[in-house]
Amino acid sequence: MSKRNKVLLGGGIGVLVVVLILVSVSAKRDKGTEVRFETVGRRDLIAAVTASGKIQPKKKVDISADITGRITRIAVREGDLVQKGQFLLQIDPTIYQANMQRANAAMSSAEAGAVQAKASRDQSSRALVRTKELHEQNPNLVSQEQLEQAQTAFEIADANLNASQHLVEQARAGLQEARDQLAKTHLTAPMAGRVTRLAVEEGEVAVPGTFSRETGLLLTVSDLSVIQTTVNVDETDVVRVQIGDSVEVTIDAFPDTTFIGRVTKVSNSAILSAASAATGQNDRAVDYEVEITLVNPPTEVRPDLSATARIVTDTRKEALAIPIIALTVRENTPITTEQKTASGGGAGPTAAQAATPKDTTRAGAGGKKKESEGVFIVHNGVANFRPVKVGIAGEEHFEVIDGVRQGDTIVAGPYQAVRDLKEGARVRPSKESGDTTARKRS
């Protein structure tokens, strides 16, 4: 074969390869983008808010020291059950017993002084009466000056008696204070419950928690008959939480068990961090405290166990639903008659529905541009965008209020394909596509 023929043969093969490649690409393009199809159907939806927090008893009492003294005896251990009035802890009473003895002595002295003052007042009263009688019988026997002196002596004695009586009251108050201080050395349980925290040991010095609650804390008694979970719910979700909502609670210490509860309190004020409370400004995400009471808590539960709560805020039975991944956003353009005809005629929304989609406004470089939430309806291998109005969100599906009907075929994934899909693009089903009209719970 000549050199010229070889060149012509090589060039022909090259052209053939290029043609084959172009034909292959064109064939693939004609087949369309491979996406996952799903048929719009009905299913049960549950809207829920998930938040984490801690297990806490509904009622607990932190027992703190009101006086200073060395702890000489602890009668309970952490985890013990106690009854109301049961002895818990003893602080060295020596100093306070001495104070009470001094107060008792001061009380006795003040009472004795009051008795003397009363006797003096009575004597002065009798002397004044006799002086007045003599002066009335014969003014020459008792002068006016003597009468005034007797009156003055009586008034002084009466004032001394009043002062002595006040000293008695003061001594009585001091004695009561000393008695109360002595009583504070003998601590008893304020209620029945379990000792959930013992913060001290025998021999330590108990001090009043003047500036810090933790400083004077001795022990904590908790009533574990009613257990609650306190969780922090984000500000975007707390508006959907209502008192009485059903809750599923999982406790990390009991991984194989789910506990049922009810929302019993929703805070009206946000939880402030220490920095926010000090400055009065909050530039972080805002959380609200939600209190959940467990119906049948485990007997081995302890305070401060980590827990996760799934608060059911709404439910829908047999709701028309679309996958969450199928919902996308496109520029808000009205649906044409050709699009409605191509998407199945009567299966599409009415003209009024198409004219009033759920709009979202997003700021762009050239100003504000309106965009709509919707899905891509598939008809004869062509995907057309359809604005929809959604309701509650389940775990994997949205409730559809308006925009599609049962039996419509929509593009349900994958995410990248839905995001990049263009109006009127040709699509073909992937191997994952199938009949998804079966009713199941989301």
Side-chain angles (χ1 to χ4, degrees):
M1 183 180 291
S2 65
K3 184 177 180 180
R4 180 180 179 183
N5 291 336
K6 290 181 179 179
V7 172
L8 291 175
L9 179 61
I13 294 174
V15 172
L16 181 61
V17 171
V18 172
V19 171
L20 290 175
I21 293 174
L22 292 176
V23 170
S24 177
V25 171
S26 177
K28 290 183 178 179
R29 186 177 302 168
D30 290 339
K31 289 182 180 179
T33 305
E34 186 176 284
V35 295
R36 186 171 69 252
F37 288 0
E38 182 165 324
T39 303
V40 177
R42 296 187 177 274
R43 58 181 71 226
D44 296 340
L45 298 179
I46 299 176
V49 172
T50 302
S52 58
K54 299 289 185 181
I55 294 293
Q56 295 292 342
K58 182 178 182 180
K59 183 179 180 182
K60 69 175 183 177
V61 178
D62 291 331
I63 300 174
S64 302
D66 293 328
I67 59 173
T68 301
R70 191 170 299 279
I71 299 172
T72 58
R73 182 188 173 198
I74 299 176
V76 295
R77 294 178 299 178
E78 192 168 303
D80 286 352
L81 291 172
V82 296
Q83 300 298 321
K84 183 177 181 179
Q86 181 177 333
F87 170 67
L88 301 176
L89 182 145
Q90 180 69 54
I91 298 175
D92 187 3
T94 305
I95 298 175
Y96 302 99
Q97 288 173 344
N99 290 341
M100 185 172 177
Q101 291 176 355
R102 283 194 295 269
N104 200 11
M107 176 71 179
S108 299
S109 176
E111 288 178 341
V115 172
Q116 293 177 356
K118 186 176 185 303
S120 298
R121 199 280 305 269
D122 292 344
Q123 183 179 4
S124 299
S125 177
R126 290 192 296 270
L128 177 60
V129 171
R130 286 195 300 269
T131 301
K132 286 182 178 180
E133 291 176 351
L134 291 175
H135 182 72
E136 290 175 357
Q137 293 176 3
N138 188 353
N140 295 326
L141 294 177
V142 178
S143 65
Q144 183 65 31
E145 182 181 0
Q146 291 175 323
L147 179 61
E148 291 176 357
Q149 289 176 350
Q151 180 68 37
T152 302
F154 170 76
E155 291 175 355
I156 292 174
D158 187 63
N160 288 336
L161 176 59
N162 288 333
S164 298
Q165 290 175 341
H166 289 310
L167 289 176
V168 171
E169 294 175 358
Q170 182 177 353
R172 184 178 292 113
L175 178 60
Q176 184 61 44
E177 181 181 3
R179 186 179 291 114
D180 292 341
Q181 292 290 93
L182 180 60
K184 291 176 181 178
T185 64
H186 187 87
L187 300 183
T188 59
M191 68 175 187
R194 186 182 297 274
V195 179
T196 54
R197 184 178 182 185
L198 184 59
V200 292
E201 298 286 346
E202 289 186 6
E204 294 186 22
V205 176
V207 294
T210 306
F211 301 104
S212 173
R213 184 178 181 181
E214 293 294 324
T215 301
L217 180 63
L218 302 176
L219 51 86
T220 301
V221 177
S222 303
D223 180 7
L224 300 181
S225 61
V226 179
I227 298 298
Q228 296 177 331
T229 302
T230 303
V231 297
N232 297 336
V233 178
D234 186 82
E235 59 182 326
T236 58
D237 294 325
V238 72
V239 292
R240 297 191 284 130
V241 178
Q242 303 292 330
I243 292 178
D245 283 349
S246 177
V247 186
E248 295 178 354
V249 179
T250 55
I251 303 174
D252 292 356
F254 306 91
D256 299 328
T257 308
T258 299
F259 304 95
I260 304 302
R262 293 283 179 182
V263 175
T264 51
K265 181 181 178 181
V266 180
S267 176
N268 289 308
S269 57
I271 302 171
L272 297 179
S273 63
S276 299
T279 61
Q281 298 179 350
N282 189 12
D283 54 355
R284 298 183 179 180
V286 177
D287 290 335
Y288 287 78
E289 195 171 79
V290 175
E291 182 183 274
I292 300 160
T293 300
L294 300 185
V295 176
N296 291 311
T299 55
E300 303 86 0
V301 72
R302 298 182 182 182
D304 298 325
L305 290 177
S306 297
T308 301
R310 182 174 179 267
I311 306 171
V312 177
T313 58
D314 210 341
T315 59
R316 294 287 189 274
K317 293 290 186 180
E318 298 295 315
L320 197 64
I322 59 172
I324 291 177
I325 196 174
L327 190 68
T328 186
V329 177
R330 291 293 185 274
E331 185 176 353
N332 184 17
T333 56
I335 297 178
T336 63
T337 305
E338 291 78 10
Q339 289 174 332
K340 286 189 290 183
T341 303
S343 62
T350 63
Q353 293 169 350
T356 58
K358 180 179 179 181
D359 295 335
T360 58
T361 303
R362 299 190 178 184
K368 292 184 177 180
K369 182 173 70 172
K370 288 186 177 181
E371 296 180 335
S372 298
E373 291 181 336
V375 296
F376 278 94
I377 300 290
V378 180
H379 184 71
N380 293 332
V382 178
N384 290 303
F385 182 74
R386 177 80 59 78
V388 297
K389 182 178 181 182
V390 297
I392 69 170
E395 292 183 357
E396 297 180 357
H397 291 78
F398 276 120
E399 174 195 17
V400 180
I401 299 176
D402 195 10
V404 295
R405 295 184 179 181
Q406 185 173 351
D408 285 349
T409 300
I410 63 174
V411 178
Y415 171 78
Q416 188 69 29
V418 174
R419 192 186 70 170
D420 297 339
L421 202 58
K422 303 297 182 181
E423 176 72 14
R426 296 196 62 82
V427 292
R428 57 191 176 91
S430 65
K431 295 180 180 179
E432 299 178 0
S433 300
D435 185 7
T436 57
T437 58
R439 299 172 182 176
K440 57 183 179 179
R441 297 185 179 275
S442 171

